[in-house]
């Protein structure tokens, strides 16, 4: 029968049946005596979302998921439970009941189920495999005759659960209906992780299967599977992806968490660990608060404060913060701490503009084009337009839509009081010359006497480039600027890498052919430099006087 929502806005899900099945059949691992395995509320939230049903198609909405939490949160037993329920439980949509709720059936009624626990090493597979074997020592043995947990695999009444690593030669032929991909922040090209991921993803697609990754915070620039999954999710949020079949659940400590201050660090740990945090006041996620969890926060604080602990690794491991590559220009916490999405730049406000452009494909990569604004009064940076190559087949033959870019510049001058406009003319020399002719007389601050807009980010201006780059970097680190939290702008900022020249530090892509764009970061540097020059020439005082303020 067709699906009938039980209440307005309700989303159908098999998650409730999955949660009940786990509690009824599985044993909690690492216990002296039998206890049922009961999910934390935030784990239940993940299950309810991951097993959502698309009411239009009757199929599961998500084919892949990511659950990213700090070390010790409990990812391994949680995903072991999902692996077992996928092997035996009602996870395949099978229509609707009389109340309009979805009904599930086991994979064994569709095909012989194969479930895999995958990692790039045998040591990593044991993270999930060890609790999985313990969880099978419970009621599930009586409920499913023929279930046989063995040391290296599990025989199902029909099918098998097995651990697998990137060295396995049979991955391509063995199509798993479900897989756990453990610690994908360490799945990189060098250890075969990328190849393993592609094969397992393709296998799942061929039979309508699914998989869940369980990474800790990845390090940008390492090219890991976890990083690529995060990039895919960003593309979904930005509307650049053609497919949205990924459920992404990442939580980290606030960027302003001070690891040297116990109170601030404890607040950050409580948020990162959620229901698992063993704080006397319970969790910070729910009202009323959940009881204290299993993670001793005092031990974590002591570990983080140990002189031998690397601060960046501690942020990644325990605060679950995506920090930065060793040569990153900015860290994620530094940039995130300046976000203020509540600020709105109104029409008529005094701003500066920065522009960095590209036109055609270069070495197989089409760089982006970015027009960035910066409010004079408070240094609030916001994107006016960022044009970048779409993903997938739409990228073939793509070029920057020049007409759209020109219209965006014209609109910016119509909407705002633009007092300075700095543009890198590379590949846009003709248009920059037109902007100088059209808007040069309106600008109160000029890049140069003869060229009011042209501001080269290459060539013989190394000293000025280094100074401008350092000026914005210092403003971000010292939180003297804000930005609107744009996902695209954030991605470009965190893609930027430090490069040392004879005159100082500049920024660049990780390598010339990298698809990770930084053009919006360059345009932001130009917009910020234009603001600095405008303030030095008294434009801020003039703007405030015109608005009826005293300086």
């Amino acid at each position: 029968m067709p699906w009938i929502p039980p209440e307005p806005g309700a989303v159908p899900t098999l998650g409730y049946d999955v949660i009940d099945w786990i509690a009824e059949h599985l044993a909690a691992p690492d216990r002296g005596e039998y206890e049922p395995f009961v999910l934390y509320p935030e784990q239940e939230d993940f299950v309810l979302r991951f097993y959502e049903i698309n009411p239009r198609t009757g199929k599961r909405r998500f084919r892949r998921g990511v659950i990213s939490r700090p070390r010790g949160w409990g990812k391994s037993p949680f995903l072991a439970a999902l692996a077992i329920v996928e092997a035996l439980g009602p996870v395949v949509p099978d229509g609707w009941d009389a109340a309009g709720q979805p009904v599930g059936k086991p994979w064994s009624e569709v095909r012989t189920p194969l479930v895999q626990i995958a990692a790039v090493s045998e040591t990593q597979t044991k993270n999930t495999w060890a609790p999985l074997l313990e969880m099978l020592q419970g009621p599930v043995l009586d409920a499913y005759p023929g279930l046989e947990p063995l040391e290296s695999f599990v025989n199902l009444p029909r099918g098998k659960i097995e651990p697998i690593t990137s060295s396995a030669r049979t991955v391509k032929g063995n199509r798993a209906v479900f897989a756990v991909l453990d610690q994908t922040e360490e799945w990189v090209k060098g250890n075969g992780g990328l190849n393993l991921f592609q094969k397992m993803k393709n296998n799942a697609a061929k039979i309508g299967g699914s998989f869940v990754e369980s990474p800790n915070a990845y390090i940008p620039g390492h090219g890991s599977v976890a990083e690529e999954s995060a990039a895919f999710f960003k593309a979904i949020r930005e509307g650049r992806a053609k497919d949205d079949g990924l459920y992404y659940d990442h939580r980290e400590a606030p960027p302003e968490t001070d690891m040297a201050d116990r109170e601030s660090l404890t607040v950050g740990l409580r948020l990162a660990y959620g229901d698992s945090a063993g704080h006397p006041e319970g969790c910070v996620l729910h009202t009323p608060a959940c009881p204290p969890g299993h993670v001793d926060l005092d031990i974590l604080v002591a570990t983080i404060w140990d002189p031998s602990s690397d601060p960046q690794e501690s942020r990644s491991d325990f605060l679950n913060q995506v920090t930065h590559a060793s040569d990153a220009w900015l860290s994620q916490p530094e940039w995130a701490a300046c976000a203020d999405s509540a600020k709105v730049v109104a029409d008529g406000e005094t701003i500066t503009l920065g522009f960095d452009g590209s036109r055609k494909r270069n070495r197989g990569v089409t760089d982006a084009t970015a027009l960035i604004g910066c409010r004079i009064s408070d240094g609030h940076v916001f994107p006016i337009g960022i044009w970048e190559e779409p993903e997938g087949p739409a990228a073939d033959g793509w070029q920057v839509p020049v007409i759209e870019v020109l219209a965006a510049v014209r609109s910016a001058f119509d909407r705002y009081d633009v007092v300075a406009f700095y543009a890198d003319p590379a590949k846009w020399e003709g248009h920059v010359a037109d902007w100088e002719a059209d808007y040069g007389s309106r600008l109160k601050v000029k890049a140069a006497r003869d060229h009011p807009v042209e501001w080269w980010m290459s060539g013989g201006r190394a000293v000025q480039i280094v100074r401008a780059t350092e000026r914005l970097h210092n403003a971000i680190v010292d939180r003297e600027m804000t930005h609107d939290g744009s996902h695209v702008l954030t991605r470009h900022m965190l893609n930027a890498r430090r490069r040392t020249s004879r005159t100082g530090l500049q920024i660049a892509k990780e390598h010339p052919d990298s698809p990770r764009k930084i053009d919006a970061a360059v345009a932001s540097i130009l917009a910020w430099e234009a603001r600095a020059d405008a303030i030095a020439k008294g434009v801020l005082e003039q703007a405030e006087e015109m608005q009826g303020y005293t300086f």
Side-chain angles (χ1 to χ4, degrees):
M1 63 180 300
W3 174 65
I4 304 172
E7 58 184 50
V11 177
T13 176
L14 293 174
Y16 294 106
D17 292 339
V18 169
I19 293 167
D20 291 342
W21 191 97
I22 289 172
E24 179 181 349
H25 291 89
L26 302 185
D30 197 23
R31 300 289 194 277
E33 298 181 358
Y34 168 76
E35 294 179 23
F37 183 67
V38 179
L39 301 179
Y40 285 129
E42 65 174 311
Q43 293 173 336
E44 292 183 346
D45 292 341
F46 181 89
V47 169
L48 293 175
R49 288 299 311 278
F50 186 63
Y51 287 94
E52 280 185 11
I53 303 297
N54 184 330
R56 182 177 58 82
T57 64
K59 298 179 180 179
R60 281 172 52 177
R61 176 181 174 187
F62 300 109
R63 71 180 189 281
R64 56 188 290 196
V66 172
I67 179 72
S68 173
R69 293 293 190 276
R71 294 191 185 278
W73 175 82
K75 297 191 297 294
S76 295
F78 174 52
L79 293 181
L82 293 187
I84 297 170
V85 76
E86 285 277 349
L88 298 168
V91 298
V92 179
D94 192 29
W96 315 90
D97 64 17
Q101 295 297 322
V103 176
K105 61 184 177 182
W107 271 106
S108 59
E109 296 186 16
V110 179
R111 60 181 297 125
T112 301
L114 171 65
V115 172
Q116 295 176 327
I117 309 298
V120 293
S121 70
E122 291 185 10
T123 301
Q124 285 185 356
T125 61
K126 291 179 180 178
N127 292 337
T128 302
W129 190 251
L132 182 144
L133 293 179
E134 289 188 67
M135 297 167 81
L136 289 173
Q137 303 303 317
V140 68
L141 284 175
D142 295 328
Y144 290 86
L147 178 64
E148 185 181 19
L150 302 173
E151 189 64 28
S152 57
F153 63 93
V154 174
N155 275 325
L156 304 173
R158 184 186 179 199
K160 184 169 67 172
I161 306 175
E162 65 178 8
I164 193 168
T165 68
S166 56
S167 61
R169 299 180 179 180
T170 59
V171 178
K172 191 171 183 178
N174 295 338
R175 298 174 183 175
V177 299
F178 180 77
V180 170
L181 280 52
D182 199 16
Q183 292 186 247
T184 52
E185 79 280 4
E186 297 182 13
W187 290 38
V188 295
K189 183 177 181 180
N191 58 25
L194 296 186
N195 184 51
L196 176 63
F197 175 73
Q198 289 298 327
K199 289 180 179 178
M200 299 194 75
K201 183 175 68 171
N202 292 342
N203 286 347
K206 291 174 183 177
I207 61 173
S210 61
F211 57 90
V212 175
E213 298 176 48
S214 59
N216 294 105
Y218 63 88
I219 296 178
H222 281 196
S224 66
V225 168
E227 183 177 8
E228 293 303 317
S229 294
F232 177 36
F233 179 61
K234 290 177 182 177
I236 292 173
R237 289 194 301 178
E238 294 164 12
R240 296 183 294 110
K242 298 297 184 183
D243 174 72
D244 63 352
L246 166 67
Y247 177 54
Y248 193 88
D249 187 343
H250 168 86
R251 192 175 64 247
E252 61 185 65
E256 63 271 15
T257 300
D258 183 355
M259 292 201 301
D261 180 82
R262 176 177 286 275
E263 181 178 356
S264 176
L265 180 55
T266 300
V267 170
L269 290 170
R270 290 184 69 188
L271 182 61
Y273 280 88
D275 294 340
S276 299
H279 191 274
E281 298 178 8
C283 81
V284 295
L285 302 181
H286 304 102
T287 303
C290 301
H294 66 275
V295 178
D296 190 326
L297 300 187
D298 290 334
I299 292 179
L300 294 187
V301 172
T303 302
I304 292 170
W305 284 357
D306 188 311
S308 64
S309 297
D310 179 81
Q312 183 170 331
E313 288 188 6
S314 292
R315 285 190 178 275
S316 176
D317 287 350
F318 303 119
L319 299 180
N320 207 36
Q321 290 179 331
V322 179
T323 56
H324 56 284
S326 58
D327 61 346
W329 183 52
L330 289 171
S331 73
Q332 192 271 348
E334 288 171 339
W335 178 248
C338 297
D340 190 344
S341 58
K343 287 186 176 180
V344 176
V345 182
D347 291 357
E349 291 203 69
T350 304
I351 70 166
T352 60
L353 296 175
F355 175 84
D356 184 57
S358 178
R359 292 290 293 278
K360 297 182 179 180
R361 190 174 294 269
N362 181 32
R363 292 192 297 271
V365 178
T366 303
D367 283 336
T369 290
L371 179 66
I372 303 295
C374 179
R375 185 160 52 192
I376 288 284
S377 61
D378 60 356
H380 184 66
V381 171
F382 59 102
I384 294 174
I386 301 175
W387 300 265
E388 56 185 2
E389 183 178 278
E391 297 187 357
D396 293 343
W398 185 86
Q399 293 187 21
V400 175
V402 176
I403 294 176
E404 289 184 22
V405 177
L406 298 179
V409 172
R410 182 167 58 251
S411 175
F413 275 89
D414 291 339
R415 289 188 58 186
Y416 306 109
D417 175 23
V418 180
V419 295
F421 180 18
Y422 289 179
D424 185 351
K427 302 184 179 118
W428 283 73
E429 290 91 340
H431 294 296
V432 171
D434 290 340
W435 292 335
E436 290 182 332
D438 294 339
Y439 307 117
S441 61
R442 295 173 52 178
L443 300 174
K444 297 179 181 178
V445 178
K446 297 176 171 49
R449 182 191 310 175
D450 297 329
H451 292 285
V453 176
E454 180 181 290
W455 209 103
W456 285 94
M457 287 293 288
S458 60
R461 299 174 56 88
V463 173
Q464 294 95 322
I465 296 168
V466 168
R467 182 192 64 186
T469 303
E470 182 181 18
R471 201 191 304 273
L472 178 57
H473 183 272
N474 290 344
I476 294 169
V477 173
D478 296 337
R479 301 184 189 177
E480 295 175 351
M481 62 83 71
T482 58
H483 60 86
D484 68 350
S486 159
H487 301 312
V488 185
L489 178 58
T490 294
R491 174 159 46 82
H492 284 226
M493 284 290 187
L494 298 183
N495 285 342
R497 300 289 181 258
R498 299 192 311 272
R499 294 294 180 260
T500 304
S501 67
R502 287 179 294 179
T503 54
L505 289 176
Q506 300 182 27
I507 64 170
K509 295 198 295 186
E510 56 188 344
H511 58 80
D513 294 340
S514 172
R516 296 181 173 89
K517 312 293 192 292
I518 68 167
D519 307 86
V522 175
S524 297
I525 291 173
L526 291 170
W528 189 261
E529 183 69 5
R531 175 182 183 263
D533 290 346
I535 290 176
K537 293 192 176 183
V539 172
L540 178 59
E541 295 97 317
Q542 297 173 20
E544 290 178 336
E545 289 174 359
M546 291 180 63
Q547 296 177 30
Y549 296 102
T550 58
F551 180 67

